[in-house]
Amino acid sequence: MRLEITPDILRQIHRHGEAAYPEEGAGLLLGKSQGTTQQIQAILDLPNTREDQARHNRYLLSAEDYLQAEVEADRLGLDVLGVFHSHPDHPNQPSEFDREWAWPSFCYIITSVWSGRAIESRAWRLAEDRQAFVEERLMVRDMEKE
């Protein structure tokens, strides 16, 4: 699977992670699937509702957050494709906690935010057997100019 995202949307994800620092920031990815490609066309920034003492290395999106994303995606003619979140002062690789809570059908964009600055994002998908994440190709390109 290949994940396509515009530079502007990736900047929005980075700004969200920087604003949430030193806590994890998170939100949902909205877009369209076309064959083996998913195009991220919008994001929904969401608050991290995890208890205060755990927000530095955990995020929580509520059922209400997901419902809000479904309504917004429907309004835009899109689908909820996955989750983005930041790892403050840690690599942009899924943690064991991420694996335990992930859904195999979703894509996950994880951004490393070091000392308050977003460094790099990578895309992942949980394998169907739920044992590990598989890195996906993250293509940053301006889809509107094509």
Side-chain angles (χ1 to χ4, degrees), residues 74-122:
D74 188 54
R75 185 185 73 76
L76 296 171
L78 304 173
D79 299 307
V80 178
L81 299 179
V83 173
F84 69 88
H85 75 279
S86 59
H87 279 183
D89 300 319
H90 282 86
N92 50 5
Q93 298 173 340
S95 66
E96 180 61 17
F97 183 85
D98 292 336
R99 186 192 64 77
E100 290 172 0
W101 289 91
W103 296 356
S105 61
F106 269 15
C107 60
Y108 291 83
I109 294 178
I110 302 175
T111 301
S112 292
V113 179
W114 292 91
S115 301
R117 183 168 173 254
I119 303 300
E120 180 188 35
S121 296
R122 293 167 71 186

